[in-house]
Amino acid sequence: MITIKTTLKKYGDETRLWYFGHQGEQFPVVLDTKEGYLVQREDCETTKLYLVKHKHAVLMEPEEEPEA
């Protein structure tokens, strides 16, 4: 899971990013690429993947399940 940073600029090119209005929200990571994280949006019905730049997201550590 990643969380979109809330420090995106309110002017310029960053306002045109698809995730600008989703600051603070979490998305499941499908693939970590050289360009950024490929995520799948739950609000979209398609299987299309969306790119989030590394500098605009924080990778959340997976929670470890307790062993029985």
Side-chain angles (χ1 to χ4, degrees):
M1 291 289 272
I2 61 164
T3 302
I4 306 296
K5 291 183 179 180
T6 57
T7 57
L8 298 177
K9 297 177 186 173
K10 298 193 183 335
Y11 57 89
D13 291 338
E14 291 184 3
T15 59
R16 293 187 216 125
L17 298 170
W18 73 265
Y19 49 86
F20 182 78
H22 297 279
Q23 295 179 51
E25 293 183 27
Q26 294 184 345
F27 294 94
V29 175
V30 176
L31 187 64
D32 185 2
T33 67
K34 183 178 179 181
E35 297 294 320
Y37 302 108
L38 288 176
V39 299
Q40 192 168 19
R41 293 172 55 179
E42 295 175 1
D43 60 338
C44 293
E45 297 176 5
T46 64
T47 58
K48 183 178 176 182
L49 299 177
Y50 295 86
L51 182 71
V52 178
K53 294 181 181 180
H54 285 125
K55 66 181 182 178
H56 293 154
V58 176
L59 183 62
M60 306 300 290
E61 293 293 325
E63 295 180 15
E64 293 184 20
E65 297 180 16
E67 295 185 24

